[in-house]
Short mmCIF file of all heavy atoms in Angstrom, two decimals:
data_model
loop_
_atom_site.label_atom_id
_atom_site.label_comp_id
_atom_site.label_asym_id
_atom_site.label_seq_id
_atom_site.Cartn_x
_atom_site.Cartn_y
_atom_site.Cartn_z
N LEU A 15 10.14 3.94 21.75
CA LEU A 15 10.78 5.23 21.43
C LEU A 15 9.92 6.42 21.90
O LEU A 15 10.44 7.36 22.49
CB LEU A 15 10.96 5.35 19.93
CG LEU A 15 12.37 5.24 19.35
CD1 LEU A 15 12.30 5.34 17.84
CD2 LEU A 15 13.32 6.29 19.93
N ARG A 17 7.74 6.50 24.23
CA ARG A 17 7.72 6.59 25.71
C ARG A 17 9.06 6.98 26.28
O ARG A 17 9.15 7.75 27.23
CB ARG A 17 7.19 5.27 26.25
CG ARG A 17 5.73 5.05 25.90
CD ARG A 17 5.20 3.72 26.34
NE ARG A 17 5.85 2.60 25.67
CZ ARG A 17 5.91 1.37 26.16
NH1 ARG A 17 5.39 1.09 27.31
NH2 ARG A 17 6.49 0.42 25.45
N ARG A 19 11.20 8.86 24.64
CA ARG A 19 11.30 10.26 24.26
C ARG A 19 10.70 11.14 25.38
O ARG A 19 11.20 12.22 25.67
CB ARG A 19 10.52 10.50 22.94
CG ARG A 19 10.39 11.94 22.52
CD ARG A 19 9.71 12.07 21.16
NE ARG A 19 8.30 11.71 21.20
CZ ARG A 19 7.47 11.76 20.14
NH1 ARG A 19 7.95 12.11 18.98
NH2 ARG A 19 6.21 11.41 20.28
N CYS A 24 3.81 10.60 31.52
CA CYS A 24 2.61 10.85 30.72
C CYS A 24 2.65 12.29 30.23
O CYS A 24 2.87 13.22 31.02
CB CYS A 24 1.33 10.63 31.58
SG CYS A 24 -0.17 11.08 30.69
N ASN A 34 7.01 1.70 36.01
CA ASN A 34 5.79 0.98 35.65
C ASN A 34 5.51 1.18 34.15
O ASN A 34 4.50 1.80 33.77
CB ASN A 34 4.66 1.52 36.53
CG ASN A 34 3.32 0.86 36.25
OD1 ASN A 34 3.28 -0.21 35.61
ND2 ASN A 34 2.23 1.45 36.70
N CYS A 40 1.76 4.17 24.12
CA CYS A 40 2.03 4.99 22.97
C CYS A 40 0.68 5.33 22.35
O CYS A 40 -0.04 4.46 21.91
CB CYS A 40 2.89 4.23 21.98
SG CYS A 40 2.97 5.03 20.36
N LEU A 56 5.65 12.55 15.02
CA LEU A 56 4.70 13.60 15.42
C LEU A 56 3.26 13.11 15.39
O LEU A 56 2.33 13.88 15.51
CB LEU A 56 4.87 14.82 14.55
CG LEU A 56 6.23 15.51 14.62
CD1 LEU A 56 6.28 16.74 13.74
CD2 LEU A 56 6.56 15.92 16.08
N ASN A 57 3.07 11.80 15.24
CA ASN A 57 1.72 11.26 15.26
C ASN A 57 1.45 10.50 16.56
O ASN A 57 0.50 9.73 16.63
CB ASN A 57 1.48 10.33 14.07
CG ASN A 57 0.03 9.95 13.95
OD1 ASN A 57 -0.89 10.77 14.20
ND2 ASN A 57 -0.23 8.70 13.61
N VAL A 86 -0.79 23.77 16.00
CA VAL A 86 -2.00 23.55 15.18
C VAL A 86 -1.63 23.14 13.76
O VAL A 86 -2.19 22.21 13.20
CB VAL A 86 -2.88 24.84 15.16
CG1 VAL A 86 -4.05 24.68 14.20
CG2 VAL A 86 -3.39 25.16 16.57
N GLU A 90 -2.47 19.55 11.86
CA GLU A 90 -3.30 19.59 10.64
C GLU A 90 -2.55 18.89 9.48
O GLU A 90 -3.12 18.10 8.72
CB GLU A 90 -3.61 21.04 10.26
CG GLU A 90 -4.80 21.17 9.34
CD GLU A 90 -4.60 22.23 8.29
OE1 GLU A 90 -4.48 23.44 8.67
OE2 GLU A 90 -4.52 21.89 7.10
N ALA A 93 -2.42 15.11 9.99
CA ALA A 93 -3.74 14.58 9.71
C ALA A 93 -3.94 14.45 8.20
O ALA A 93 -4.54 13.49 7.70
CB ALA A 93 -4.81 15.44 10.33
N LEU A 97 -4.25 10.79 5.56
CA LEU A 97 -5.29 10.48 4.60
C LEU A 97 -4.72 9.95 3.28
O LEU A 97 -5.46 9.44 2.44
CB LEU A 97 -6.17 11.70 4.31
CG LEU A 97 -6.99 12.23 5.49
CD1 LEU A 97 -7.68 13.52 5.10
CD2 LEU A 97 -7.98 11.18 5.96
N ILE A 102 4.79 0.97 2.00
CA ILE A 102 6.11 0.80 2.59
C ILE A 102 6.58 -0.63 2.31
O ILE A 102 5.93 -1.59 2.73
CB ILE A 102 6.12 1.11 4.11
CG1 ILE A 102 5.61 2.57 4.35
CG2 ILE A 102 7.53 0.94 4.71
CD1 ILE A 102 5.54 2.96 5.80
N TRP A 105 11.63 -4.20 2.86
CA TRP A 105 12.99 -3.80 3.20
C TRP A 105 13.04 -2.42 3.83
O TRP A 105 13.90 -2.11 4.67
CB TRP A 105 13.92 -3.89 1.99
CG TRP A 105 13.64 -2.90 0.87
CD1 TRP A 105 12.88 -3.09 -0.24
CD2 TRP A 105 14.16 -1.55 0.79
NE1 TRP A 105 12.86 -1.96 -1.02
CE2 TRP A 105 13.63 -0.97 -0.40
CE3 TRP A 105 14.95 -0.76 1.59
CZ2 TRP A 105 13.91 0.31 -0.81
CZ3 TRP A 105 15.24 0.54 1.20
CH2 TRP A 105 14.73 1.08 0.01
N GLN A 106 12.07 -1.56 3.45
CA GLN A 106 12.02 -0.25 4.04
C GLN A 106 11.59 -0.34 5.51
O GLN A 106 12.08 0.38 6.39
CB GLN A 106 11.04 0.65 3.28
CG GLN A 106 11.53 1.08 1.94
CD GLN A 106 10.53 1.96 1.19
OE1 GLN A 106 9.39 1.56 1.05
NE2 GLN A 106 10.97 3.11 0.72
N LYS A 115 15.82 1.47 16.22
CA LYS A 115 16.61 0.82 17.27
C LYS A 115 17.83 1.70 17.63
O LYS A 115 18.15 1.86 18.82
CB LYS A 115 17.12 -0.55 16.78
CG LYS A 115 16.47 -1.72 17.49
CD LYS A 115 16.77 -3.04 16.91
CE LYS A 115 18.20 -3.54 17.19
NZ LYS A 115 18.38 -4.95 16.74
N LEU A 130 17.31 15.02 31.05
CA LEU A 130 15.90 14.79 31.39
C LEU A 130 15.03 15.41 30.34
O LEU A 130 15.49 15.99 29.37
CB LEU A 130 15.59 15.38 32.78
CG LEU A 130 16.42 14.83 33.98
CD1 LEU A 130 16.18 15.68 35.22
CD2 LEU A 130 16.08 13.35 34.24
N ARG A 132 11.98 15.84 27.39
CA ARG A 132 11.71 15.19 26.11
C ARG A 132 12.94 15.26 25.21
O ARG A 132 13.55 16.32 25.06
CB ARG A 132 10.51 15.89 25.44
CG ARG A 132 10.08 15.21 24.16
CD ARG A 132 8.71 15.75 23.71
NE ARG A 132 8.62 15.66 22.25
CZ ARG A 132 7.58 15.05 21.62
NH1 ARG A 132 6.60 14.51 22.29
NH2 ARG A 132 7.57 15.02 20.30
N TRP A 140 13.83 8.82 4.01
CA TRP A 140 12.84 8.50 2.97
C TRP A 140 11.42 8.58 3.50
O TRP A 140 10.49 8.98 2.83
CB TRP A 140 13.13 7.15 2.32
CG TRP A 140 13.09 6.01 3.30
CD1 TRP A 140 14.16 5.47 3.98
CD2 TRP A 140 11.94 5.28 3.78
NE1 TRP A 140 13.73 4.47 4.83
CE2 TRP A 140 12.40 4.32 4.71
CE3 TRP A 140 10.58 5.35 3.48
CZ2 TRP A 140 11.53 3.45 5.37
CZ3 TRP A 140 9.71 4.45 4.15
CH2 TRP A 140 10.20 3.52 5.07
N THR A 146 6.36 14.44 4.37
CA THR A 146 6.37 15.87 4.01
C THR A 146 5.63 16.12 2.69
O THR A 146 4.83 17.07 2.58
CB THR A 146 7.83 16.37 3.87
OG1 THR A 146 8.50 16.11 5.12
CG2 THR A 146 7.89 17.86 3.60
N LEU A 147 5.81 15.23 1.74
CA LEU A 147 5.07 15.31 0.47
C LEU A 147 3.58 15.25 0.69
O LEU A 147 2.81 16.04 0.20
CB LEU A 147 5.45 14.11 -0.40
CG LEU A 147 6.31 14.39 -1.65
CD1 LEU A 147 7.02 13.16 -2.10
CD2 LEU A 147 5.40 14.91 -2.75
#
Side-chain angles (χ1 to χ4, degrees):
L15 252 178
R17 293 176 295 157
R19 173 176 70 179
C24 175
N34 180 16
C40 167
L56 298 180
N57 189 39
V86 174
E90 199 219 296
L97 296 175
I102 303 178
W105 68 265
Q106 288 179 308
K115 248 172 75 172
L130 300 170
R132 184 167 152 127
W140 59 266
T146 303
L147 249 158

